[in-house]
Amino acid sequence: MALRLLPDTLVNRIAAGEVVERPASVVKELVENSLDAGATRIDIRLDDGGATFLSVTDDGRGLGRDDLALAVRRHATSKLPDDDLVRIATLGFRGEALPSIGAVARLTLASRAADSGEGWEIDIEGGRVDGPRPAAQPPGTRATVRDLFFATPARLKFLKTPQTERGHAAEVVRRLAMAAPGVGFSLTEGERDILRYPPAGGDLFDARARRLAAVLGRDFADNAVPVAAEREGVRLDGLAGLPTLNRPNAALQFLFVNDRPVRDRLLLGAVRGAYRDVLAGDRHPMLALFLEVPPEAVDVNVHPAKTEVRFRDSGLVRGLIVGALRQALAAAGHRTSSHVSRAALGAARPAIEGGAEPVGRPPAGAPGTPSPPGLSDRARAFQAPLRPLDAPPSAPPAAAAPPESDDAYPLGVARAQVHETYIVAQTATGLVIVDQHAAHERLVQERLRADLENGGVARQGLLLPEVVELDPAAAERVAARAGDLARLGLAVEPFGPGAVLVREVPALLGDTDVKGLIRDLADDLAELDSAISLEDRLGAVCATLACHGSVRAGRRLNEAEMNALLRQMEATPRAGQCSHGRPTYVELRLSDIERLFGRR
Ligand code: ADP
Ligand code: MG
């Protein structure tokens, strides 16, 4: 076989294999180009999810005739003026996107430089360039891509339904819109508006908050806490969802490095570490975090799609994220997310409706569904969003309580215990229902953590040391961590090949099922890989210990015990959710209860 240099068209097609996977990747490359060109408005149109037609129009600085011809050539870029791959300040820099797209589709690039009176356009179809020729074009650039993958039919077969492709494209636009709040975005398919974000003005912090609310929804905005930290020139900002606002996967975690959306294992791992002791392992928080790193301290040239990054000092970045998130969540105190009470209220629809009406029926008054106003309307009304629990009260509570009264307690005064599981407390503005097990678990965990930080956890010797049988690998794992566990008040030692001997347990746990505890710990240790710092490991172990040491549902509490629990919750950071991310309490406001009964 003869050795030869590949023709450009083939090289570009090969490059396209890495950069252009589906319509969404074309959208990403083109929108990034518009952002790099300083656009303030970017409009994206799709047909068939982008497979047959997509266009991106911007009002950026545009290109003149000669630059237009150059832009579609391989490795042509205006973005590395000093040949410096170390300090990259733009989203693009590889000079690959336009030729790659032109190699596998029919690309038309029309542009007019901001300072020029004339527009030009150029075509590339399956790698063949035609133009530039004069064109009527307002200042800015419009890239039009037709018949994606017509030149590479094998790829064409992998395209999914238009809905799926449209979904991926919308996802790309959402991410970039979060990164550039000052830019207006629209995504339309045919006549249909899919996304529309007006430019958000004001300072970056406000603009970002508004854009995040527009993209991620009010629910997120209402149930997230601000995160801000800086260390050694690395800045972290953003919003972190309360643990109770959790999801089954990490899809709603948005991470940006120097305004570039990334999906990076290190960053995702840091988020997991930070929420480890407030969320179960299979639940994931929602958040949007923006990391600003000096360009020379991060390498974005890891993969052609540029979604992975390498940090010069990954320990610093990880520590910053974990620390800032923990602090933000601790500051949120006993707050739990408003959507929890909303969900509870949704379930508390008046029994008289009794399933006669399917959920999601057309609103009363829709043709053909005569129904008396009243209960059903009210039922719907009280599913409207509640205010978040500790939002600054817009109006003082109706009966302004004297400060020395019990009403001054945010979690109120215990009135009753029901089903030996829930504490019902009266507050100044309504009532609170506490899950006693979840709440106590939280308190024990925070105590353990505090004791740990203050030098050690009080232990209590077992009258009879307990032998716990495990499979040999698990026994070895537990024995290997004996040092860490000792700091937590748990004295274990190896006991033959498939067992450990437990001599002491943390005094806080009281009478506990030692065998169950050790088995759970062995599972924990198996899940936690060695990349996780000792501190995080201990946090997870604290959570397991706390779960074993807390008041079980089903234990009767007297009034003093209940009130003590409420006061402790108020004084404890992160008391709003148990270590599995479930809320420890929900609040119903008097006004919501009144609405429930049609008094409002
Ligand atoms: P890269 O973005 O990596 O430089 P591209 O192939 O995406 O490579 O684009 C090549 C060049 O074309 C860019 O460097 C830029 O100068 C120019 N360009 C592309 N899109 C636009 C646009 N929307 N507005 C202005 N210039 C653009
Ligand atoms: Mg580019």
Side-chain angles (χ1 to χ4, degrees), residues 99-407:
S100 299
I101 296 165
V104 298
R106 302 183 216 279
L107 166 69
T108 301
L109 198 62
S111 197
R112 181 167 134 198
D115 54 6
S116 154
E118 52 191 11
W120 294 88
E121 70 180 13
I122 192 166
D123 294 321
I124 339 176
E125 293 201 358
R128 273 208 339 273
V129 180
D130 181 19
R133 58 179 173 274
Q137 162 74 18
T141 304
R142 172 199 293 268
T144 309
V145 178
R146 292 189 175 80
D147 304 326
L148 182 61
F149 298 138
F150 87 95
T152 49
R155 266 287 158 107
L156 191 57
K157 285 207 290 269
F158 286 96
L159 287 186
K160 302 284 193 296
T161 62
Q163 293 95 297
T164 304
E165 296 301 339
R166 179 199 311 133
H168 285 290
E171 186 58 28
V172 161
V173 176
R174 273 192 212 99
R175 277 178 198 271
L176 287 166
M178 286 187 252
V183 177
F185 287 84
S186 75
L187 173 65
T188 51
E189 181 158 26
E191 293 307 300
R192 202 157 75 89
D193 264 3
I194 295 168
L195 299 174
R196 187 165 290 274
Y197 306 125
D203 70 33
L204 180 61
F205 184 82
D206 290 341
R208 218 178 237 165
R210 243 168 307 130
R211 179 56 61 85
L212 289 179
V215 177
L216 297 176
R218 269 256 77 86
D219 204 29
F220 174 72
D222 287 346
N223 292 293
V225 291
V227 180
E230 178 154 21
R231 203 184 289 171
E232 293 173 38
V234 179
R235 255 203 81 73
L236 179 72
D237 284 293
L239 286 176
L242 293 173
T244 39
L245 186 74
N246 57 51
R247 287 288 182 284
N249 57 51
L252 293 182
Q253 292 177 8
F254 300 96
L255 306 169
F256 302 84
V257 175
N258 296 344
D259 293 333
R260 177 193 303 282
V262 297
R263 292 217 58 83
D264 185 80
R265 280 194 50 223
L266 169 91
L267 299 179
L268 291 169
V271 169
R272 208 174 326 115
Y275 279 81
R276 173 153 282 133
D277 45 344
V278 288
L279 262 186
D282 58 350
R283 304 297 299 180
H284 302 264
M286 276 177 80
L287 46 73
L289 297 180
F290 300 83
L291 207 54
E292 254 170 71
V293 187
E296 63 275 13
V298 58
D299 184 2
V300 292
N301 192 20
V302 178
H303 183 269
K306 299 167 292 199
T307 53
E308 279 170 56
V309 289
R310 297 249 192 294
F311 296 101
R312 204 175 51 198
D313 186 349
S314 53
L316 168 74
V317 171
R318 186 178 198 290
L320 181 72
I321 295 177
V322 173
L325 284 174
R326 287 233 169 105
Q327 202 173 34
L329 294 174
H334 61 263
R335 187 176 153 190
T336 154
S337 61
S338 65
H339 82 121
V340 172
S341 11
R342 187 147 74 230
L345 272 179
R349 286 150 49 103
I352 196 163
E353 293 264 320
E357 246 180 31
V359 181
R361 62 186 269 281
T369 56
S371 91
L375 274 179
S376 59
D377 290 341
R378 269 174 251 136
R380 227 168 283 115
F382 72 71
Q383 292 179 55
L386 297 179
R387 270 186 307 280
L389 205 49
D390 60 351
S394 43
E404 69 275 14
S405 125
D406 290 343
D407 286 354

Side-chain angles (χ1 to χ4, degrees), residues 29 33 79 92 97:
E29 293 296 335
N33 280 349
K79 300 172 192 173

Side-chain angles (χ1 to χ4, degrees), residues 29-30 32-37 56 58 60-63 67 70-73 75-79 90-100 109 111 140-143 306:
E29 293 296 335
L30 296 178
E32 287 186 352
N33 280 349
S34 298
L35 289 171
D36 281 343
V56 174
D58 68 51
R61 72 182 70 88
L63 291 163
D67 283 345
L70 207 52
V72 298
R73 293 187 41 197
H75 303 313
T77 179
S78 55
K79 300 172 192 173
T90 48
L91 292 166
F93 56 85
R94 300 171 62 106
E96 274 184 339
L98 296 178
S100 299
L109 198 62
S111 197
T141 304
R142 172 199 293 268
K306 299 167 292 199

